[in-house]
């Protein structure tokens, strides 16, 4: 971020007028790895649960850093579930995912939290 700003290139000619071109340099810094928490605040590592069929489950994804501030999205089995971050501060972005009623088909689902702050 310290290198960003407006830079100018000036070319002086003998016969023609001087030409000045400006460019704005923006520096992108990646966010930290997302962290997933259960409703009670315990960090989730590899597996969520156990839960019973019919229960409601809420998990939180928290991402620190990044410039510009990242978008945090939830994915299930490689399909995007949402496309917005619900809570942002200058250095932290949080997105909650709620599964209102667990079903047998939820067993062994892969839930992924992803943070991106560029076009790649």
């Amino acid at each position: 971020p310290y290198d960003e700003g407006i830079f100018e290139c000036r070319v002086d000619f003998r016969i023609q007028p001087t030409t000045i071109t400006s460019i704005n340099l923006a520096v992108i810094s990646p966010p930290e790895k997302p962290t997933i928490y259960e409703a009670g605040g315990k960090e989730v590592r590899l597996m969520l649960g156990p839960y019973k069929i019919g229960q409601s489950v809420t998990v939180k994804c928290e991402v620190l850093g990044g410039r510009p501030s990242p978008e945090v999205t939830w994915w299930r089995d490689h399909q995007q579930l949402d496309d917005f971050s619900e809570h942002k501060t200058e250095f932290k972005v949080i997105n909650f995912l709620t599964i209102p009623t667990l079903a047998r088909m939820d067993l062994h689902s892969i839930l992924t939290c992803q943070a991106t702050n560029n076009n790649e």
Side-chain angles (χ1 to χ4, degrees):
Y2 302 110
D3 293 328
E4 68 183 15
I6 297 175
F7 292 85
E8 291 185 344
C9 176
R10 176 180 168 152
V11 179
D12 293 317
F13 299 99
R14 288 187 197 187
I15 300 173
Q16 296 181 344
T18 298
T19 302
I20 299 174
T21 303
S22 298
I23 187 165
N24 184 20
L25 175 65
V27 177
I28 296 173
S29 58
E32 292 183 17
K33 182 179 175 183
T35 306
I36 299 173
Y37 298 94
E38 292 186 49
K42 180 182 175 189
E43 184 177 348
V44 176
R45 301 249 179 188
L46 299 178
M47 184 154 328
L48 181 64
Y51 294 98
K52 295 181 181 177
I53 290 177
Q55 273 187 286
S56 173
V57 175
T58 299
V59 286
K60 174 176 82 170
C61 180
E62 183 176 289
V63 179
L64 301 175
R67 184 176 176 153
S69 187
E71 291 298 317
V72 178
T73 54
W74 279 102
W75 298 72
R76 177 185 185 159
D77 299 328
H78 307 290
Q79 290 187 341
Q80 189 171 351
L81 297 174
D82 74 3
D83 62 353
F84 65 97
S85 302
E86 299 173 19
H87 179 72
K88 287 188 177 187
T89 64
E90 187 176 356
F91 300 107
K92 180 169 41 173
V93 180
I94 296 173
N95 192 344
F96 292 92
L97 173 68
T98 299
I99 301 172
T101 307
L102 284 174
R104 181 162 294 285
M105 66 179 229
D106 295 314
L107 185 64
H108 301 300
S109 291
I110 298 172
L111 297 174
T112 306
C113 175
Q114 180 176 325
T116 57
N117 68 341
N118 60 23
N119 293 331
E120 297 180 12

